[in-house]
């Protein structure tokens, strides 16, 4: 009852994610990282990975605008060069 007066915060809709979504996302990340390493690339295509994981794998099911912002925030927070920073 108390929560209702603040409106919708966080995940507003229950989404039907499953283990295969996670497995395919991991495979995508692994493929891109391995390809970048094998090609000797000095940069990792984080924008592409964020799009594929956040928009294609998970975001395709997100129907609420506030939830879409949450997915985008998680992608920015967890996928980037900062993953390899030793000072974090």
């Amino acid at each position: 009852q108390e929560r209702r007066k603040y409106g919708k915060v966080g995940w507003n809709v229950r989404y039907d994610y499953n283990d295969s979504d996670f497995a395919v996302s991991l495979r995508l990340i692994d493929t891109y990282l391995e390809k970048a390493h094998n090609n000797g690339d000095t940069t990792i295509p984080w924008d592409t990975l964020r799009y594929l994981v956040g928009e294609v794998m998970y975001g395709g099911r997100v129907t609420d605008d506030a939830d879409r912002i949450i997915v985008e925030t998680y992608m920015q927070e967890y996928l980037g060069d900062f993953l390899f920073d030793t000072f974090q």
Side-chain angles (χ1 to χ4, degrees):
Q1 200 69 323
E2 177 74 14
R3 166 124 165 48
R4 289 186 191 159
K5 71 180 179 182
Y6 298 107
K8 295 179 177 181
V9 178
W11 292 106
N12 295 310
V13 178
R14 184 176 173 93
Y15 297 105
D16 208 15
Y17 300 130
N18 54 46
D19 290 339
S20 65
D21 295 319
F22 182 69
V24 172
S25 295
L26 281 179
R27 188 174 296 159
L28 272 170
I29 293 168
D30 180 59
T31 300
Y32 271 79
L33 291 177
E34 188 174 328
K35 183 178 176 185
H37 175 73
N38 290 342
N39 290 341
D41 295 340
T42 57
T43 59
I44 295 170
W46 292 114
D47 289 336
T48 303
L49 285 170
R50 280 191 288 266
Y51 177 79
L52 288 172
V53 174
E55 293 293 326
V56 176
M57 294 308 305
Y58 287 99
R61 295 185 185 159
V62 175
T63 56
D64 184 84
D65 290 338
D67 290 344
R68 185 165 302 286
I69 291 169
I70 291 171
V71 170
E72 290 173 15
T73 301
Y74 276 128
M75 292 300 101
Q76 291 295 329
E77 185 69 23
Y78 291 111
L79 293 177
D81 281 331
F82 55 84
L83 291 174
F84 303 108
D85 264 349
T86 56
F87 300 108
Q88 289 239 349

